[in-house]
Structure formats: C-alpha cells, structure tokens
Amino acid sequence: MSALRQPDVTRQRLLECAFDEIHKRGFRSASLDAILDKAGVTKGALYHHFDNKNALGYAVLDELIRPYMQAQWESLKSADDPVTAAVTNLRKRREKLRERLLAYGCPFNNLAQEMSPHDEGFRTRLQAILNDWRGAYAEALARGQALGTVRADLNVNAAGIFIVSAIEGLVGMAKTAQSGQLYDDGMRGLIEYLERLRPAA
C-alpha cells in the first residue's frame, strides 16, 4: 500500500472504531481515547481528519450508518414483487444481525433517540435516512400495485410508515427484553402482515 493512501486508511479505521464505540455506548458517552486506542492512532491524526467529535459522528452517520441502513431497502427499488423482496430482506436481517441488534440495538435508532433532540446536524441526517427508508417502501408498494403484486386498496404511504416503525420498534423491544424469542416472534408477525399485502387470490 502506498504512503499516499495511508491517510485514507487511517481515516477509515477511525470511522470503524468510532462506529463500534458509538453503537455500544452512545454518542455522548463514546470516548475519544477509547476510539484512538482501538484505532491505534494519535489524537493529532484524529484532528487531522475531523475538526471535533461531532464531525467524527456526522462522518460515521454519513459514511457507515447510512449505507448500512440503505442496504435494507436497496433491493426494493427494482422489485416487481416488493412483498417478496421485503420479506427476504427481513429474513436476512434476522439471520445476520440478530445477536448484535439484541446486544446493542439498531445504530440508526439509537442515534435518533439520543441525538435528534440535541443536535440539528444529527437530526437532519437521521431524518433524511428515515424519509428515504419510508419512501422506498411506499414507492415499491405503489409500483407493486401498478403491476398487480400488491393490493390496490393499500395506502402505500401509511404502510411504509408502519413497516419502518415496526422494524425499529421491534429491535428496541427485543433489546430491552434481551429476548431473541421476542425478536423472532415479532419478525414473524411483521412478515405475516407483509404477506397480507398481496392481492386476494
């Protein structure tokens, strides 16, 4: 690896370690010293890339959390059958992320609850992600209606709000209860709801 690319490697390492610290402890309790120690870099290196802790947090949100969240709705954009696409996404999420979500919750929702009331930079970024997520469901379901794979009587905007709320609420409930069974049962309930969005046979 060339020396010219080393600053980018250092920056990425800082972002990844900051994400882990923020996910486990929350933004305000996240320790810069712990991030630096885990990343193996100096405070000078941190401030070379980020003006302050907030700037680091914004970068974590923009460059790591947004793509992590966007992966949950990306497949909906081209799906002719959005119900199947959504169910597949939820099953993959349950299989891949269940234990980490139970331990620490959803990194997006954690920040939304913690920082939206206190910092406009966080709030606007979080709101943009939420708008895109709900909108992706609404647009996919509307496309499904046009193609006959979704019930014609469905209010797609209300459904998008409900689905996103159900996903995030379920993670919060399961984290509080520390119950994998609650998470699995809730996921099954949400999948049953999605299956009922198909047209009657």
Side-chain angles (χ1 to χ4, degrees):
M1 183 174 296
S2 70
L4 290 176
R5 294 183 59 192
Q6 191 59 40
D8 294 333
V9 172
T10 299
R11 184 179 187 280
Q12 185 64 25
R13 180 70 179 151
L14 282 165
L15 286 174
E16 290 169 358
C17 293
F19 170 85
D20 190 62
E21 176 76 1
I22 292 167
H23 193 192
K24 290 177 178 177
R25 303 182 186 283
F27 178 76
R28 286 178 292 182
S29 295
S31 164
L32 287 179
D33 287 338
I35 293 167
L36 293 172
D37 185 59
K38 184 175 286 189
V41 301
T42 65
K43 192 165 286 190
L46 171 69
Y47 289 116
H48 172 75
H49 293 287
F50 306 102
D51 290 340
N52 50 47
K53 185 180 178 182
N54 271 28
L56 174 61
Y58 297 158
V60 167
L61 189 49
D62 292 339
E63 299 176 40
L64 296 186
I65 295 178
R66 171 173 266 283
Y68 160 83
M69 298 301 295
Q70 194 163 339
Q72 298 184 52
W73 70 74
E74 199 64 36
S75 64
L76 295 173
K77 291 183 177 180
S78 59
D80 291 341
D81 180 357
V83 171
T84 296
V87 168
T88 299
N89 285 349
L90 289 177
R91 286 180 173 150
K92 286 180 179 177
R93 175 187 173 97
R94 183 174 66 188
E95 291 167 7
K96 292 176 65 175
L97 301 173
R98 181 177 180 270
E99 297 311 315
R100 187 169 180 88
L101 289 174
L102 283 176
Y104 304 117
C106 171
F108 165 79
N109 197 35
N110 290 350
L111 275 175
Q113 297 300 317
E114 179 190 9
M115 297 306 298
S116 289
H118 304 293
D119 184 276
E120 188 66 8
F122 275 105
R123 192 198 67 76
T124 55
R125 286 170 168 83
L126 291 158
Q127 184 63 48
I129 293 171
L130 198 57
N131 288 345
D132 288 349
W133 194 4
R134 292 191 319 238
Y137 268 104
E139 289 169 16
L141 291 168
R143 186 170 59 254
Q145 286 179 324
L147 294 170
T149 58
V150 172
R151 282 179 11 220
D153 65 332
L154 181 70
N155 181 322
V156 297
N157 290 318
I161 293 169
F162 173 75
I163 293 165
V164 170
S165 299
I167 292 169
E168 288 302 305
L170 175 58
V171 174
M173 288 174 65
K175 174 188 172 185
T176 300
Q178 284 297 288
S179 171
Q181 187 63 53
L182 188 154
Y183 184 72
D184 291 343
D185 288 347
M187 275 290 178
R188 278 192 288 271
L190 181 53
I191 288 170
E192 287 173 6
Y193 165 79
L194 287 166
E195 293 290 357
R196 288 196 285 269
L197 303 187
R198 300 184 190 277

